[in-house]
Amino acid sequence: MTALVIAEHNNKSLNVATLNAIAAAASIGGEIHVLVAGQDCGAVAQAAAQVAGVTKVLSVDAPHYAHALAENLAPLVVSLAPAYSHLLVAATTSGKNVMPRIAALLDVAQLSDIIEVKSADTFVRPIYAGNVLATVQSVDAIKAITVRTTAFDPVATSGGSAAIETMAAGPDAGLSQFVGEELTKSSRPELAAADIIVSGGRGVGSAENFKIIEALADKLGAAVGASRAAVDAGYVPNDYQVGQTGKVVAPQLYVAIGISGAIQHLAGMKDSKVIVAINKDEEAPIFQVADYGLVGDLFKEVPALVDALGK
Amino acid sequence: MEREAMEFDVVIVGGGPSGLACAIRLRQLAAESGHDLSVCLIDKGSEIGAHILSGAVIEPRALNELLPDWKDRGAPLNTLVGTDRFLFLTETRAIRFPTPPQMHNEGNYIVSLGNVCRWLAQQAEALGVDIYPGFAAAEVLYHDDGSVKGVATGDMGRHKDGSEGPNFAPGMELHAKQTIFAEGVRGSLTKTLFARFKLREGVDPQVFGLGVKELWEVRPEKYQQGLVTHTVGWPMDSKTYGGSFCYHLEDNLVAIGFVTGLNYENPYLSPFEEMQRFKTHPAIRDTFEGGRRVSYGARAISAGGFQSIPKLSFPGGLLVGDTAGFLNVPKIKGTHTAMKSGMTAAESVFELLRAENEPGKEAVDYPHRLKNTWLWDELYRVRNIKPSFHWGLWPAMAYGALDTYVLRGKAPWTLHHHPDHEALKPAAQCREIVYPKPDGVLTFDRLSSVFLSNTNHEEDQPCHLTLHDDTVPTRLNLAVYAGPEQRYCPAGVYEFVEEAGQQQLRINAQNCVHCKTCDIKDPSQNINWVTPEGGGGPNYPNM
Amino acid sequence: MAGIAIPHVTYANLEDEMKILVAVKRAIDYNVKARPKSDGTGVDLANVKMSMNPFDEIAVEEAIRLQEAGKAGEIVVVSVGTAACQETLRTAMAMGADRGILVQSDDEVQPLAVAKLLKAIVDKEQPGLVILGKQAIDDDSNQTGQMLAGLLGWGQGTFAAKVEIGDGSANVKREVDGGIQTIALKLPLVVTADLRLNEPRYVKLPNIMKAKKKPLDTVTPADLGVDIAPRLKLLKVTEPPARAGGVKVADVNELVAKLRNEAKVI
């Protein structure tokens, strides 16, 4: 039983999401190989070889793999697949893009967004926006899997000493071409895709005061969210809303400030990996779900937090 | 503003039991006589049944008349009432009383009225009724001669400030020879018709209750299909009208609800929290232990009965169902009467249009026809029971026994109603009620409850809870009545929050479950409930 | 006067224009909270409101906008599922799609099988563009579009935020983690719609009436020669465990220390 994990990278460094996917592969058991397909991506292959638990790195270098376009990457993985029992990739937009194409070409079902490994063929995955967990068994010989990164702690980046095997590239399918990328580095990340979200609620008190929230978000490189109460009160626009009718988010870190924790809001963020709550009301329901709670005046604590983070 | 218009013979506003029964009867008559007529029914809910909430134990009398083969057609009437209990509660005890005769339920069914309406809609569509859920009738249209010309559906895609958004779609005019208003309790268009055609002149004011209902899936050992329980007494004091229902439907589902008379006096009273507190009674809580709550909702009930029935016809249209108010209060049933009124209206309208195929005529014989049906007799006989509760629970129970057993509903007098919104006493004259905190297992807060009603409204639209005077909430409601809207609203729509050192009313219109209580109970009638964008509001399953 | 937004399309002038196929799924309404049945065998959908999957609504809207912009001809909508899916197809046709195809099955049809069924329809209909929602809000699989593209050997513009149809190719702006990626893809092509692609129009009453008269064909998986046997066995469904509260920290310094050293999230 050997698993092949498709590395996500930018040709220079390994995306940390890959480490979560490797962790999922590790909990299945068996050997773990990592595929690094890219352009001039030797450094990535080197890094992958160091990762704890990885026994082999397959390195493929060609210009048409530079941007992990599914039309080119999928046939490559398909050609390697017969040697493997499991194919895994992090459920990032890149992983979600390529894995179903691979699965279809192999004529196997895909298991999307797994959050738990029950056995080599049985997995738990959220459905209905996380309101329901399904335990699913695959009857296919090869399991094609995308991994919800927040559900598996990343494996260590060191401790491994895998051999790097260089493979020949497949042809360019000629269907797709990378044109460009606008990464939202300068401004704040999108709510749906952010690793960290700082959210404000009615406790923030006014649109003006939301600057306090934004300052913390900028310090953390986080997206800004809001509770429905804050949106209804007109402090921030609709598209900031986390919860029932807004977005369901699952970042690594969710900081809820001045949010009491109405169920709509909790439903929208309860899948976050770590939740921090800052609220002056010790009895606020948000503290029942927060990993770290700080009872205090947000107007004092949040600026203090910004300072503390700067140290 | 110019709008597109569509022409029908009959437009029905509202897809509840009365509107659907009316639509079905119209198409049946058309088919029987060969005199075709087009029937269009619109409903503000996202689908038929989405806004329907009732107990419900229904008497199949009207359904038997409308669709005698309802069983073969798969009507969702699956649970016959079995054991029927009537309890008087004190804080710690439950005393079983004989079930009053009106409340006997032999041959009646425990149903989800929402599911019954979904099924009725299928029957209506099969008969050729055009049914359009998701379209709210927002405005009554008139001919130059003042007769009703039809209705206009609400605009879609306006911003909060009323300006047109990128996807703006203006409402449609639906023109009809007869427009039938089947809006349910406290219809927002019916309210304007009352004023315009003076339909309430000479009749008692309508009075209301607020029913708060939950649906539970209980543990199999706590479940007894067909069991019906009603209670009076605790947690209401003897001056406040209220009581509960608890019905065991199919599949381990139990409907539990508490109805509070909206003529309550103490502004600190919270119907929602009375319901929560009620569930903790030792005779009640056991059923729900280990179960899970699966749905929640609330709806006002018309309880005025016979003496509150308004004039039912006007040029170009009619009122049917609970927007007029045909609930039999002691029987606590209104589905059969609502349907009967719709069916009777259909017969009048059909005859009228067959004789005079003209718009704007008045189907004057509708009330006369209705008076010759069992509906009228049934409501007449029980007319004094509800108003007698004005004297308090015990005198009313005694009077009810006298009226029912001795006078048999034929008392030579009629007791009268007083408007609910005038009943509130200033907070200073009342005792503050401190309700227990919800435990999150048996009792809950408002927001986690509304969550289960699947309620939503498009966020960016004009607020559908309009105030005649913005200063009233703080100046009058808060100052004199301690802000009763934050307590009577079962959905947490109204909140007083501090802003710039002042208490201000905040209206969370998105939460609104369309129960209409605010429109009824606001002390100075300052709140006017109008329809939001079609499709908004609760999405009740199985309620 | 406010007219009907959808232009009248005659098939004669569509012959040379690109046909668009849009796949739509009937799913739980996005306002309704799903709940596992107490015996864990599935999700309780009895009498709950069902609607067109919201991402599919965006897909239909995009097709109509392309048609309105003169970039496309006929719009064919396809759904896979029970007879009730006709309602979903009628909704798409009320929005502006020209014709519907229901692949009727009372059995569960998983994404791989849906992709195979859609491929069979594509082989027959020969569209130049297939648009789907990026995922359905019931099973949250996010697979069908990519699978279909793979089976067809076409390019895939997934998670689309913008679609620009050119001559023989299209530029698709994609919502990727951390930003927007633009790729050029050869036509024919599969696109999957993300949230920001457009805001679907309101369906108008007269169009609902007209949609009742638009053609709707029904076929079965057997007609299309596709085996839809499921490959994934649903063993059970449960409610997610309630999240337990953690610790209270005394001050921001303790909080930062915990986040850095214990949770390791900053």
Side-chain angles (χ1 to χ4, degrees):
Chain A
M1 199 167 71
T2 307
L4 179 66
V5 177
I6 304 166
E8 186 171 339
H9 60 87
N10 58 1
N11 297 309
K12 293 187 184 71
S13 58
L14 193 61
N15 187 327
V16 65
T18 309
L19 304 174
N20 305 106
I22 292 171
S27 56
I28 295 170
E31 247 188 275
I32 300 170
H33 296 177
V34 173
L35 171 67
V36 177
Q39 182 183 22
D40 303 328
C41 55
V44 181
Q46 292 292 343
Q50 313 284 308
V51 171
V54 176
T55 54
K56 196 202 273 186
V57 173
L58 308 178
S59 172
V60 189
D61 211 307
H64 56 273
Y65 297 131
H67 299 283
L69 297 174
E71 295 80 0
N72 292 330
L73 186 52
L76 175 69
V77 177
V78 169
S79 70
L80 303 168
Y84 295 97
S85 57
H86 297 78
L87 306 173
L88 295 98
V89 71
T92 57
T93 46
S94 173
K96 289 174 183 173
N97 183 45
V98 72
M99 189 58 89
R101 191 170 178 111
I102 294 165
L105 292 171
L106 292 170
D107 193 26
V108 301
Q110 176 184 303
L111 298 125
S112 296
D113 245 336
I114 65 159
I115 58 166
E116 192 188 337
V117 176
K118 288 277 189 195
S119 71
D121 66 359
T122 304
F123 306 88
V124 181
R125 53 176 304 259
I127 54 176
Y128 291 89
N131 288 317
V132 179
L133 300 182
T135 305
V136 188
Q137 184 180 35
S138 165
V139 300
D140 290 316
I142 301 173
K143 280 56 169 168
I145 294 166
T146 66
V147 176
R148 174 160 298 189
T149 54
T150 47
F152 296 89
D153 287 333
V155 293
T157 50
S158 61
S161 56
I164 299 175
E165 195 177 312
T166 306
M167 317 269 300
D172 183 344
L175 293 169
S176 54
Q177 230 181 336
F178 175 81
V179 176
E181 204 157 31
E182 309 152 39
L183 294 185
T184 43
K185 282 278 176 252
S186 51
S187 65
R188 290 185 203 105
E190 273 295 308
L191 200 51
D195 284 334
I196 303 179
I197 294 173
V198 179
S199 262
R202 178 171 293 157
V204 178
S206 70
E208 179 72 10
N209 290 346
F210 239 80
K211 287 195 181 123
I212 299 172
I213 306 296
E214 287 162 2
L216 177 59
D218 289 342
K219 192 82 199 176
L220 289 166
V224 176
S227 70
R228 174 157 152 186
V231 172
D232 280 352
Y235 304 163
V236 286
N238 284 336
D239 52 353
Y240 280 53
Q241 186 179 318
V242 172
Q244 188 191 8
T245 61
K247 297 178 178 81
V248 173
V249 296
Q252 294 282 338
L253 172 61
Y254 189 92
V255 186
I257 299 169
I259 291 175
S260 65
I263 186 140
Q264 287 87 343
H265 194 77
L266 300 183
M269 45 66 93
K270 64 177 169 19
D271 294 336
S272 306
K273 188 167 163 97
V274 174
I275 296 174
V276 170
I278 301 176
N279 201 305
K280 66 180 176 197
D281 175 10
E282 198 170 342
E283 304 232 324
I286 191 78
F287 287 120
Q288 292 164 22
V289 300
D291 299 286
Y292 303 107
L294 177 57
V295 179
D297 178 4
L298 72 92
F299 299 106
K300 186 176 135 259
E301 302 295 349
V302 176
L305 180 56
V306 173
D307 284 347
L309 285 164
K311 280 182 212 162
Chain B
M1 180 181 48
E2 247 191 276
R3 292 179 286 215
E4 285 182 73
M6 291 167 78
E7 307 286 335
F8 298 91
D9 291 315
V10 180
V11 165
I12 299 171
V13 179
S18 68
L20 289 164
C22 183
I24 289 171
R25 190 75 195 113
L26 278 166
R27 292 294 302 170
Q28 284 176 340
L29 290 165
E32 284 161 20
S33 68
H35 177 89
D36 198 27
L37 91 184
S38 56
V39 181
C40 169
L41 183 151
I42 59 172
D43 192 278
K44 64 184 166 60
S46 64
E47 62 169 354
I48 297 297
H51 288 184
I52 299 291
L53 180 141
S54 184
V57 170
I58 67 167
E59 187 178 298
R61 188 170 186 177
L63 183 60
N64 289 338
E65 293 174 14
L66 183 68
L67 296 163
D69 57 345
W70 55 264
K71 262 193 185 134
D72 301 332
R73 293 167 181 259
L77 280 67
N78 304 317
T79 302
L80 265 171
V81 176
T83 308
D84 201 340
R85 302 187 305 171
F86 183 59
L87 305 177
F88 173 76
L89 302 186
T90 70
E91 193 168 349
T92 53
R93 297 183 54 215
I95 301 144
R96 189 157 175 184
F97 277 13
T99 302
Q102 298 94 348
M103 288 171 69
H104 279 233
N105 276 312
E106 288 85 7
N108 294 342
Y109 290 83
I110 305 176
V111 300
S112 150
L113 192 61
N115 292 346
V116 170
C117 288
R118 287 181 180 94
W119 173 83
L120 281 171
Q122 289 167 10
Q123 309 309 308
E125 282 197 309
L127 286 163
V129 179
D130 283 320
I131 298 185
Y132 300 109
F135 291 92
E139 185 187 338
V140 183
L141 305 172
Y142 296 96
H143 291 290
D144 290 342
D145 67 1
S147 62
V148 171
K149 185 182 185 181
V151 290
T153 64
D155 294 340
M156 306 287 275
R158 282 194 190 277
H159 290 304
K160 216 171 210 130
D161 63 6
S163 62
E164 294 176 11
N167 269 349
F168 175 74
M172 286 279 310
E173 295 200 355
L174 303 176
H175 297 167
K177 290 175 187 127
Q178 285 289 313
T179 306
I180 296 179
F181 294 85
E183 295 181 284
V185 176
R186 193 72 166 193
S188 50
L189 297 185
T190 303
K191 207 167 103 166
T192 67
L193 296 167
F194 284 158
R196 181 160 181 133
F197 293 107
K198 301 185 171 57
L199 302 176
R200 300 212 66 92
E201 242 169 41
V203 301
D204 277 12
Q206 185 58 272
V207 295
F208 302 88
L210 172 60
V212 178
K213 176 183 167 180
E214 294 177 355
L215 191 65
W216 283 69
E217 187 178 323
V218 301
R219 297 188 61 82
E221 65 269 22
K222 315 269 186 188
Y223 168 72
Q224 186 185 336
Q225 186 167 11
L227 176 65
V228 163
T229 306
H230 293 103
T231 73
V232 292
W234 188 86
M236 296 282 102
D237 59 40
S238 71
K239 281 188 345 200
T240 311
Y241 188 75
S244 80
F245 60 86
C246 181
Y247 305 146
H248 290 232
L249 297 101
E250 51 262 31
D251 304 329
N252 297 326
L253 291 176
V254 175
I256 180 158
F258 198 90
V259 179
T260 302
L262 285 179
N263 60 348
Y264 68 82
E265 296 174 349
N266 185 342
Y268 290 110
L269 188 144
S270 160
F272 172 82
E273 276 148 318
E274 294 295 346
M275 160 73 177
Q276 298 307 318
R277 173 156 81 164
F278 161 72
K279 285 184 289 177
T280 66
H281 192 278
I284 304 300
R285 71 178 310 147
D286 180 60
T287 304
F288 303 97
E289 247 146 50
R292 59 173 179 168
R293 190 170 70 143
V294 297
S295 195
Y296 167 85
R299 185 72 173 98
I301 293 164
S302 298
F306 186 82
Q307 46 276 60
S308 298
I309 296 173
K311 183 169 184 286
L312 297 169
S313 66
F314 41 86
L318 300 175
L319 305 178
V320 300
D322 261 340
T323 204
F326 294 115
L327 183 85
N328 180 332
V329 177
K331 209 184 229 184
I332 41 178
K333 285 177 194 61
T335 304
H336 64 302
T337 46
M339 288 178 70
K340 184 67 181 172
S341 71
M343 291 151 64
T344 308
E347 285 159 13
S348 294
V349 163
F350 185 77
E351 287 308 322
L352 176 75
L353 293 184
R354 193 150 73 157
E356 282 183 276
N357 200 10
E358 304 262 322
K361 300 285 176 199
E362 182 167 352
V364 283
D365 78 323
Y366 163 52
H368 301 293
R369 275 178 193 263
L370 214 50
K371 278 171 194 162
N372 291 321
T373 66
W374 48 258
L375 177 153
W376 207 259
D377 178 56
E378 182 179 319
L379 294 186
Y380 180 77
R381 281 172 186 268
V382 298
R383 72 197 181 285
N384 285 332
I385 306 285
K386 163 73 173 119
S388 72
F389 276 84
H390 196 66
W391 305 326
L393 177 66
W394 292 110
M397 298 272 274
Y399 176 82
L402 169 81
D403 199 276
T404 305
Y405 295 107
V406 182
L407 303 167
R408 298 187 184 275
K410 292 179 177 159
W413 59 79
T414 294
L415 303 175
H416 292 284
H417 296 302
H418 309 277
D420 290 332
H421 68 268
E422 291 172 2
L424 275 187
K425 287 184 172 164
Q429 298 173 23
C430 297
R431 164 186 61 86
E432 194 171 341
I433 306 174
V434 181
Y435 290 102
K437 276 198 155 190
D439 62 12
V441 180
L442 177 69
T443 58
F444 302 91
D445 64 15
R446 279 178 172 78
L447 286 183
S448 53
S449 300
V450 175
F451 188 64
L452 290 181
S453 67
N454 302 318
T455 296
N456 189 35
H457 294 85
E458 167 59 44
E459 282 143 291
D460 192 12
Q461 64 171 306
C463 181
H464 73 279
L465 300 149
T466 63
L467 303 180
H468 295 300
D469 177 348
D470 287 350
T471 68
V472 163
T474 310
R475 182 169 54 79
L476 177 71
N477 292 1
L478 189 63
V480 179
Y481 299 106
E485 53 273 64
Q486 54 192 331
R487 298 185 198 91
Y488 61 61
C489 173
V493 169
Y494 298 95
E495 274 183 292
F496 282 92
V497 294
E498 196 173 302
E499 232 167 55
Q502 260 210 329
Q503 292 283 313
Q504 297 285 353
L505 182 69
R506 172 149 301 138
I507 302 180
N508 305 307
Q510 267 195 70
N511 284 0
C512 177
V513 296
H514 297 202
C515 76
K516 312 285 181 78
T517 302
C518 53
D519 195 280
I520 294 164
K521 188 65 177 170
D522 183 72
S524 63
Q525 297 284 278
N526 187 49
I527 299 173
N528 188 35
W529 192 103
V530 299
T531 49
E533 275 188 11
N539 283 286
Y540 294 137
N542 305 307
M543 289 290 265
Chain C
M1 138 161 197
I4 299 157
I6 298 149
H8 182 66
V9 179
T10 55
Y11 293 99
N13 62 21
L14 294 179
E15 274 167 16
D16 302 327
E17 291 180 19
M18 182 175 73
K19 186 193 281 188
I20 303 182
L21 194 82
V22 185
V24 296
K25 183 176 186 180
R26 181 172 186 265
I28 192 167
D29 185 85
Y30 74 102
N31 291 310
V32 177
K33 260 63 71 186
R35 180 171 56 84
K37 289 183 194 162
S38 50
D39 64 4
T41 56
V43 172
D44 193 350
L45 296 176
N47 300 301
V48 306
K49 158 99 172 122
M50 304 292 277
S51 295
M52 190 190 303
N53 177 44
F55 291 105
D56 300 348
E57 235 179 292
I58 297 171
V60 174
E61 176 68 30
E62 192 64 15
I64 299 166
R65 290 189 187 188
L66 287 170
Q67 190 188 61
E68 286 171 350
K71 305 273 189 193
E74 190 188 22
I75 300 168
V76 181
V77 280
V78 187
S79 191
V80 178
T82 64
C85 298
Q86 287 181 19
E87 208 180 294
T88 316
L89 291 169
R90 293 288 175 206
T91 303
M93 290 191 276
M95 288 174 74
D98 299 300
R99 170 159 79 82
I101 300 172
L102 170 62
V103 182
Q104 193 169 341
S105 170
D106 290 339
D107 299 323
E108 186 204 354
V109 192
Q110 294 178 348
L112 179 62
V114 173
K116 290 177 183 176
L117 293 167
L118 291 176
K119 177 180 184 293
I121 301 275
V122 168
D123 289 345
K124 231 159 89 177
E125 295 283 343
Q126 299 288 315
L129 178 64
V130 181
I131 314 181
L132 308 86
K134 73 162 179 178
Q135 75 190 71
I137 61 167
D138 47 12
D139 64 9
D140 286 333
S141 288
N142 194 332
Q143 299 173 6
T144 307
Q146 295 90 311
M147 287 182 156
L148 174 63
L151 295 176
L152 288 166
W154 292 6
Q156 59 186 56
T158 53
F159 323 144
K162 193 169 186 190
V163 179
E164 292 164 332
I165 303 289
D167 198 10
S169 74
N171 271 10
V172 177
K173 288 197 189 307
R174 304 180 55 232
E175 305 256 7
V176 295
D177 295 332
I180 295 280
Q181 181 193 62
T182 308
I183 55 173
L185 294 145
K186 260 194 185 159
L187 288 167
L189 164 71
V190 174
V191 165
T192 74
D194 213 321
L195 215 51
R196 288 193 293 178
L197 182 58
N198 60 54
E199 201 185 313
R201 66 195 58 199
Y202 293 102
V203 174
K204 292 180 169 187
L205 250 169
N207 294 346
I208 298 176
M209 301 192 86
K210 282 178 202 156
K212 287 183 181 172
K213 299 194 176 79
K214 291 186 180 178
L216 195 166
D217 292 326
T218 299
V219 295
T220 66
D223 296 339
L224 298 171
V226 175
D227 173 17
I228 60 162
R231 307 291 188 82
L232 298 175
K233 268 195 341 220
L234 181 67
L235 301 184
K236 67 167 179 185
V237 298
T238 52
E239 262 174 87
R243 215 183 155 105
V247 296
K248 294 262 168 70
V249 293
D251 56 35
V252 291
N253 292 319
E254 191 189 344
L255 177 61
V256 171
K258 294 262 191 204
L259 292 176
R260 280 196 177 130
N261 307 323
E262 196 177 86
K264 300 191 172 83
V265 286
I266 57 170

